């Protein structure tokens, strides 16, 4: 008989949680620093981490805490399992989830993420170092280029404090890319609220709430360690996603298992695809209802781009306006797919395809399809 009782889950202390876990940063500049630890000489690692802690941002919303000004820069830090092993060699792998200890180069991860062909682990990091060399990732975000230089200097000072115990790795070394002058992974200013493929971005972000698990997929207990409301007290600590032993649990509480994935985006190939398919299919798609685009073929390119994403490039949901952009709907986040009150239901995917990025990412009221 199981007499285990549910744990009463307190509200998270945002001051003890890294900001990147609970918030999406909107800073236009970012740099992701990769570090390797020296397992033969670890004495400088604490100094490295302590320097970084001085600048780490917590999850308190800047508009709720004085001086109520958006920070000029944000910094957060993460460790791989191999990095944790060097810092805390007594920690047991069995205490953590297997996907974390196996790492993204394991077979199951590769299979699930389609890491085949040119994406196999042997080709990662520009072949400048091995995946097993990655022990720590420092994420830095900034409002301006000057702010990025400031926070980058802080990270450099931390690495210097670590001495021979810490080595920075450069995944972009030897590559030709805009803005790449030092081999680091960088993001520079894009047009506000737009991504590389010229789609409007940042329209809708999920709210993260401490509600009942499995009733709300944005529930904190799915990923924030230490807040599983369905846990039991049999062993004194909550089960997965938290470590299942007290020592490791104490280390990991208020953290999360994070994925850091690098994607290569071929904007030119995407635009060429739209041009090719628009030329082939312009006559078979609906005629443009206005004269915004100079030709039917130009209209077909944007119509196809909208079908792929689920929103027109300006943000208009395809299910609300399948044949033209609508500036009154560009930030609409309340539309549905299976509600007769929402104009006409789109349960055949004729307006917004089932495979569209927006619909796959959030199927809304149509539910999740299972095989």
């Amino acid at each position: 008989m199981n007499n285990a009782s549910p744990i009463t889950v307190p509200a998270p202390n945002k001051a003890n949680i890294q900001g990147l876990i609970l918030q999406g940063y909107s800073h236009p500049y970012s740099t992701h620093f990769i570090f390797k630890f020296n397992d033969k000489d670890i004495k400088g690692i604490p100094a490295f981490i302590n320097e970084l802690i001085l600048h780490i941002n917590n999850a308190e919303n800047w508009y709720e805490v004085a001086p109520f000004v958006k920070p000029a820069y944000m910094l957060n830090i993460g460790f791989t399992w191999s990095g944790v092993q060097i810092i805390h060699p007594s920690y047991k792998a069995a205490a953590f989830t297997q996907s974390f200890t196996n790492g993204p180069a394991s077979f199951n991860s590769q299979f699930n993420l389609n890491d085949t062909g040119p994406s196999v682990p042997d080709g990662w990091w520009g072949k400048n170092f091995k995946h097993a060399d990655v022990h720590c990732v420092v994420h830095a975000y900034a409002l301006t280029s000057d702010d990025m230089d400031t926070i980058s200097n802080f990270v450099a000072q931390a690495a210097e404090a670590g001495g021979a115990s810490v080595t920075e790795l450069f995944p972009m070394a030897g590559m030709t890319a805009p803005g790449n002058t030092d081999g680091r992974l960088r993001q520079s200013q894009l047009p506000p609220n737009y991504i590389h493929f010229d789609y409007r971005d940042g329209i809708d972000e999920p709210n993260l709430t401490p509600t009942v698990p499995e009733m709300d997929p944005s529930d904190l207990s799915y990923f924030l360690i230490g807040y599983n409301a369905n846990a039991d007290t049999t062993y004194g600590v909550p089960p997965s996603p938290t470590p299942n032993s007290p020592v490791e649990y104490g280390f990991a509480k208020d953290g999360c298992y994070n994925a850091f994935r690098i994607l290569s985006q071929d904007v030119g190939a995407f635009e060429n695809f739209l041009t090719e398919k628009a030329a082939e299919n312009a006559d078979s798609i609906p005629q443009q209802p206005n004269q915004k685009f100079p030709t039917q073929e130009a209209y077909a390119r944007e119509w196809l781009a909208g079908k792929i994403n689920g929103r027109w490039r300006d943000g208009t949901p395809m299910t609300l306006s399948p044949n033209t952009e609508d500036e009154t709907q560009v930030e609409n986040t309340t539309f549905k797919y299976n509600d007769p009150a929402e104009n006409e239901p789109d349960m055949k995917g004729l307006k917004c395809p089932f495979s569209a990025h927006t619909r796959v990412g959030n199927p809304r009221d149509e539910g999740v399809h299972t095989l």
Side-chain angles (χ1 to χ4, degrees):
M1 180 176 181
N2 185 359
N3 294 319
S5 58
I7 288 178
T8 300
V9 181
N13 177 8
K14 291 183 178 181
N16 198 46
I17 301 170
Q18 292 199 70
L20 191 59
I21 297 176
L22 299 188
Q23 301 177 25
Y25 293 164
S26 57
H27 292 58
Y29 293 86
S30 67
T31 302
H32 305 275
F33 303 85
I34 315 296
F35 292 99
K36 177 182 180 180
F37 295 150
N38 184 350
D39 60 355
K40 308 300 183 185
D41 178 8
I42 66 172
K43 62 179 181 294
I45 297 177
F48 167 71
I49 296 173
N50 287 336
E51 283 287 325
L52 292 174
I53 287 175
L54 296 175
H55 306 287
I56 285 180
N57 293 88
N58 63 35
E60 292 177 321
N61 295 320
W62 59 266
Y63 51 81
E64 295 177 348
V65 181
F68 311 108
V69 176
K70 190 172 186 176
Y73 46 77
M74 315 283 277
L75 187 145
N76 290 119
I77 183 173
F79 301 100
T80 64
W81 167 238
S82 55
V84 172
Q85 283 183 298
I86 293 173
I87 299 171
H88 295 289
S90 64
Y91 287 2
K92 301 293 189 284
F96 298 88
T97 183
Q98 200 172 44
S99 58
F100 173 60
T101 55
N102 285 350
S106 63
F107 171 77
N108 287 339
S109 297
Q110 292 169 241
F111 179 80
N112 293 335
L113 297 172
N114 198 29
D115 287 337
T116 59
S119 297
V120 296
D122 286 345
W124 290 359
W125 311 110
K127 298 184 178 180
N128 288 303
F129 49 86
K130 297 179 180 179
H131 180 71
D133 293 335
V134 180
H135 297 145
C136 174
V137 182
V138 177
H139 307 280
Y141 301 83
L143 292 177
T144 69
S145 178
D146 288 343
D147 294 329
M148 191 74 255
D149 289 340
T150 298
I151 191 63
S152 295
N153 287 336
F154 291 145
V155 177
Q157 291 170 13
E160 185 176 347
S165 300
V166 179
T167 300
E168 184 176 357
L169 306 177
F170 298 95
M172 297 290 289
M175 298 186 192
T176 300
N180 176 37
T181 58
D182 54 18
R184 291 172 175 151
L185 291 167
R186 292 185 178 276
Q187 165 70 57
S188 300
Q189 176 76 65
L190 286 170
N193 300 319
Y194 278 79
I195 61 171
H196 292 84
F197 293 105
D198 204 26
Y199 287 98
R200 187 179 181 88
D201 191 34
I203 298 170
D204 193 15
E205 300 291 348
N207 292 319
L208 306 175
T209 55
T211 55
V212 178
E214 297 164 350
M215 296 297 290
D216 179 2
S218 67
D219 187 273
L220 290 174
S221 66
Y222 279 99
F223 59 92
L224 186 62
I225 295 175
Y227 296 88
N228 194 330
N230 274 353
D232 64 56
T233 57
T234 305
Y235 300 104
V237 296
S240 181
T242 62
N244 59 12
S245 64
V247 174
E248 287 85 349
Y249 171 73
F251 164 78
K253 187 178 184 298
D254 284 329
C256 75
Y257 294 114
N258 186 38
F260 178 56
R261 187 161 175 80
I262 301 170
L263 300 177
S264 177
Q265 298 181 323
D266 193 336
V267 176
F270 178 69
E271 294 296 338
N272 290 338
F273 169 83
L274 292 179
T275 298
E276 176 186 341
K277 297 305 177 184
E280 294 175 2
N281 299 283
D283 293 338
S284 61
I285 70 171
Q287 295 295 302
Q288 62 172 316
N290 49 47
Q291 293 303 313
K292 178 175 180 178
F293 301 98
T295 65
Q296 176 66 9
E297 192 169 311
Y299 169 73
R301 290 184 87 260
E302 295 308 301
W303 186 88
L304 289 170
K307 292 292 186 181
I308 291 170
N309 185 43
R311 289 179 181 263
W312 291 84
R313 291 212 238 199
D314 74 341
T316 303
M318 293 294 288
T319 193
L320 296 184
S321 183
N323 293 321
T324 185
E325 296 172 327
D326 183 348
E327 63 180 14
T328 68
Q329 300 291 340
V330 295
E331 295 187 359
N332 190 316
T333 63
T334 61
F335 61 90
K336 300 177 181 180
Y337 297 114
N338 193 28
D339 185 352
E342 288 280 334
N343 298 318
E344 297 179 6
D346 188 25
M347 289 308 293
K348 291 185 177 180
L350 298 179
K351 291 184 283 187
C352 178
F354 293 110
S355 59
H357 169 72
T358 299
R359 194 160 186 169
V360 171
N362 185 355
R364 299 175 184 270
D365 61 328
E366 73 170 288
V368 178
H369 299 285
T370 59
L371 298 177

